[in-house]
């Protein structure tokens, strides 16, 4: 931690603008100038640096409309005070407030001026999102939680245009923080305010994902496909009860799937074409997939549903892969037999297929996103670098590392750090 001496020099006729007399060559000084003239503030500071004997080690800028704060970390090369005289005169000319943080030669400084000056810290990013707007009450409780945990905010960025729906935080988290307990607190905060908080490691893979694997039913599409088949087969109530139990993790998925499929025995295979015509895609699904493909992502659907419909979704959204279960048909191809053909795509199989696709595309698991809503998605959500519970069952939300409880899939772009302006460029046909 730094033991810097801070000197604040506000412009006044009486101020002689002389720096402390103990400045030495090779000493580090953080020069900060705040004023209302934007780029002129930056220019005058750099002009002073260029005229005098110093080395620039780092700089950063903060802007509020016309007002800016420009900070420059320098190392002195001589004990010549002309630099400080020039800075003082420039500050006075541009109605600025000048401050100097003089560091001891023994100070250990952070790597960047943006970094909180504490030891043993881990960097995270937190994305906060509410489609109806981030309220002062949520933001207040969120900030108080960070203060309780001694988590420092290093940077805040608004991602949404217009109404404040989404913001990205760069956080400096003490290494001894119990992350599981913190995630539980964030989950409760999310529930209390209807606002999602997604915590991710702040590293190169955050923005550089390369593969997204989606569940299909109630994720890419709004329906549960087997329920749609059951409606046409006249067994919807029986199937719905089994489906809900399976999605909540109350019964084994393979067992539940066999039970549900057995109820479809004798149903005409024509129902698949009927369902294709009536599928309702989740809001934002087309836009999200278009945007991700434009920046080179590979996309897959891995479903506990059925392959004819998974292939249809794949074609509609321009995905690269589709895996799902296969319904066995009668020898004449006219009806379903009530059985499955081939291995069952359950939760564990979903995770295995995710890994197979990643290996085939030479993609690290840290660069994979998985999106799903049911208990049978938990394995693949855990396997991926970022697992997103999308409008998921309560048990799934508790266990997932990130969650979105908003209507549109396009909000996944926020979790990657993309702004609305970025998204508009990705949605365009240019």
């Amino acid at each position: 931690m730094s033991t810097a001496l801070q000197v604040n020099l506000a412009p006044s006729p009486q101020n002689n603008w002389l720096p402390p007399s103990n400045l030495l060559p090779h000493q580090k000084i953080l020069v900060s100038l705040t004023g209302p003239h934007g780029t002129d503030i930056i220019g005058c500071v750099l002009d002073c640096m260029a005229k005098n004997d110093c080395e620039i080690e780092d700089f950063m800028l903060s802007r509020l409309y016309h007002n800016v704060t420009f900070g420059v970390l320098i190392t002195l090369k001589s004990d010549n005070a002309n630099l400080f005289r020039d800075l003082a005169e420039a500050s006075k000319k541009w109605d600025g407030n000048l401050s100097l943080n003089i560091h001891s030669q023994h100070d250990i400084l952070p790597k960047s001026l943006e970094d909180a000056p504490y030891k043993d810290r881990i960097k995270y990013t937190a994305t906060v999102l509410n489609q109806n707007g981030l309220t002062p009450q949520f933001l207040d409780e969120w900030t108080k939680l960070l203060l309780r945990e001694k988590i420092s905010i290093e940077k805040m960025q608004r991602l949404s245009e217009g109404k404040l729906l989404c913001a990205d935080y760069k956080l400096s988290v003490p290494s001894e923080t119990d992350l599981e307990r913190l995630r539980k607190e964030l989950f409760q905060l999310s529930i209390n305010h209807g606002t999602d908080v997604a915590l991710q490691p702040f590293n190169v893979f955050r923005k550089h994902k390369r593969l997204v694997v989606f569940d299909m039913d109630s994720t890419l599409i709004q329906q549960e496909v087997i329920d749609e088949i059951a409606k046409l087969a006249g067994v919807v109530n029986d199937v719905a009860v089994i489906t809900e139990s399976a999605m909540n993790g109350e019964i084994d998925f393979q067992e539940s799937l066999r039970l549900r499929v057995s109820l479809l025995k004798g149903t005409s295979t024509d129902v698949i074409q009927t369902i294709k015509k009536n599928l309702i895609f989740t809001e934002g699904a087309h836009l999200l997939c278009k945007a991700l493909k434009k920046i080179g992502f590979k996309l897959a659907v891995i479903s506990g549903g059925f392959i004819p419909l998974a292939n249809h979704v794949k074609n509609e959204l321009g995905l690269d892969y589709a895996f799902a279960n296969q319904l066995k048909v009668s020898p004449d191809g006219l009806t379903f037999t009530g059985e499955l053909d081939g291995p069952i795509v359950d939760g564990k199989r979903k995770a295995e297929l995710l890994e197979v696709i990643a290996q085939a595309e030479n993609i690290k698991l840290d660069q994979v996103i998985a999106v799903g809503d049911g208990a049978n998605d938990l394995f693949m959500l855990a396997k991926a670098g970022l697992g997103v519970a999308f409008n998921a069952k309560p048990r799934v939300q508790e266990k997932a590392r990130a969650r979105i409880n908003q209507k549109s899939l396009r909000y996944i772009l926020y979790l990657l750090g993309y702004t609305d302006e970025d998204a508009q460029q990705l949605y365009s046909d240019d």
Side-chain angles (χ1 to χ4, degrees):
M1 184 179 295
S2 170
T3 56
L5 169 65
Q6 181 163 330
V7 180
N8 294 299
L9 300 175
S12 72
Q14 292 77 31
N15 200 323
N16 61 15
W17 302 103
L18 291 177
S21 60
N22 60 344
L23 293 180
L24 299 170
H26 310 299
Q27 194 154 17
K28 295 183 189 298
I29 300 177
L30 175 58
V31 177
S32 178
L33 184 59
T34 299
H37 295 287
T39 307
D40 290 311
I41 292 288
I42 303 168
C44 76
V45 171
L46 294 176
D47 184 59
C48 294
M49 304 295 177
K51 291 177 181 176
N52 293 280
D53 202 15
C54 66
E55 180 180 347
I56 295 177
E57 298 204 4
D58 197 3
F59 56 60
M60 69 169 290
L61 174 73
S62 174
R63 175 184 281 273
L64 291 172
Y65 297 129
H66 290 297
N67 292 281
V68 302
T69 296
F70 183 51
V72 185
L73 180 65
I74 63 171
T75 298
L76 297 179
K77 290 189 174 181
S78 73
D79 57 2
N80 191 324
N82 288 342
L83 169 62
F84 305 99
R85 182 201 62 205
D86 292 345
L87 284 167
E89 290 176 356
S91 175
K92 187 175 181 180
K93 176 181 177 181
W94 294 107
D95 303 316
N97 290 308
L98 176 68
S99 69
L100 310 174
N101 282 67
I102 303 164
H103 296 278
S104 154
Q105 289 179 303
H106 304 294
D107 287 343
I108 299 175
L109 301 180
K111 293 180 181 178
S112 167
L113 291 180
E114 288 188 351
D115 292 348
Y118 306 111
K119 293 181 180 179
D120 300 321
R121 293 285 176 133
I122 305 172
K123 306 293 182 174
Y124 281 87
T125 183
T127 308
V128 296
L129 168 65
N130 186 320
Q131 64 191 13
N132 297 315
L134 299 174
T135 66
Q137 292 76 20
F138 164 76
L139 293 170
D140 177 48
E141 284 199 36
W142 158 239
T143 305
K144 285 176 179 173
L145 186 154
L146 297 177
L147 287 169
R148 286 197 305 272
E149 297 292 334
K150 297 181 171 56
I151 295 173
S152 300
I153 299 173
E154 294 187 337
K155 191 174 184 179
M156 299 164 59
Q157 181 188 10
R158 174 182 180 155
L159 299 182
S160 57
E161 289 185 350
K163 195 171 185 178
L164 180 59
L165 310 181
C166 185
D168 218 33
Y169 288 71
K170 181 185 175 188
L171 304 176
S172 174
V173 180
S175 57
E176 66 272 16
T177 300
D178 183 339
L179 290 176
E180 284 307 309
R181 180 182 55 78
L182 177 61
R183 289 184 191 279
K184 288 179 181 178
E185 289 191 41
L186 294 177
F187 181 50
Q188 190 58 51
L189 179 69
S190 295
I191 291 173
N192 293 346
H193 292 272
T195 300
D196 300 320
V197 182
L199 191 67
Q200 303 176 60
F202 183 84
N203 58 31
V204 69
F205 297 120
R206 188 275 172 102
K207 263 195 171 183
H208 293 86
K209 299 290 193 287
R210 296 175 55 203
L211 167 66
V212 184
V213 175
F214 297 97
D215 174 44
M216 182 172 72
D217 296 5
S218 298
T219 300
L220 285 175
I221 60 174
Q222 294 183 14
Q223 300 104 316
E224 292 286 331
V225 163
I226 196 165
D227 292 345
E228 298 303 305
I229 298 176
K231 287 177 187 176
L232 298 174
V235 292
V236 63
N237 292 333
D238 295 331
V239 166
V241 170
I242 302 171
T243 298
E244 186 65 21
S245 296
M247 296 301 282
N248 284 324
E250 296 165 4
I251 60 174
D252 174 75
F253 178 80
Q254 290 201 18
E255 176 190 357
S256 71
L257 184 61
R258 289 192 181 98
L259 287 172
R260 289 176 289 176
V261 168
S262 69
L263 297 172
L264 305 180
K265 183 177 180 179
T267 301
S268 170
T269 55
D270 290 342
V271 298
I272 295 296
Q273 295 305 316
T274 302
I275 293 168
K276 283 181 182 179
K277 295 175 184 177
N278 296 322
L279 280 187
I280 302 172
F281 284 86
T282 300
E283 181 181 325
H286 286 87
L287 286 175
L288 174 64
C289 292
K290 180 179 181 179
L292 293 174
K293 290 300 292 182
K294 197 165 188 177
I295 49 179
F297 272 71
K298 294 295 182 180
L299 306 179
V301 57
I302 303 179
S303 174
F306 306 113
I307 197 64
L309 292 159
N311 279 331
H312 175 70
V313 168
K314 169 180 174 284
N315 294 334
E316 280 289 310
L317 296 177
L319 311 183
D320 301 285
Y321 297 91
F323 294 95
N325 294 299
Q326 181 66 58
L327 288 168
K328 198 169 185 178
V329 299
S330 60
D332 58 12
L334 298 178
T335 60
F336 296 120
T337 67
E339 300 170 295
L340 291 164
D341 196 7
I344 290 177
V345 179
D346 60 3
K348 290 183 179 178
R349 181 63 177 156
K350 282 189 171 190
E352 290 169 359
L353 288 168
L354 178 152
E355 194 162 10
V356 167
I357 297 170
Q359 289 176 353
E361 297 290 346
N362 196 27
I363 295 171
K364 291 173 62 69
L365 290 176
D366 284 337
Q367 296 176 280
V368 179
I369 302 170
V371 186
D373 74 304
N376 67 324
D377 296 315
L378 281 170
F379 288 103
M380 76 171 186
L381 295 185
K383 178 75 70 173
L386 175 61
V388 182
F390 182 74
N391 292 317
K393 308 298 184 291
R395 175 170 172 261
V396 179
Q397 292 204 38
E398 283 184 42
K399 293 185 176 295
R401 281 168 290 172
R403 62 197 66 85
I404 291 180
N405 289 300
Q406 319 297 326
K407 290 193 299 185
S408 179
L409 276 168
R410 71 181 179 87
Y411 292 132
I412 286 174
L413 290 173
Y414 286 148
L415 301 188
L416 300 177
Y418 290 108
T419 66
D420 279 350
E421 184 178 359
D422 296 330
Q424 287 301 323
Q425 294 179 49
L426 297 175
Y427 299 154
S428 72
D429 293 321
D430 297 338

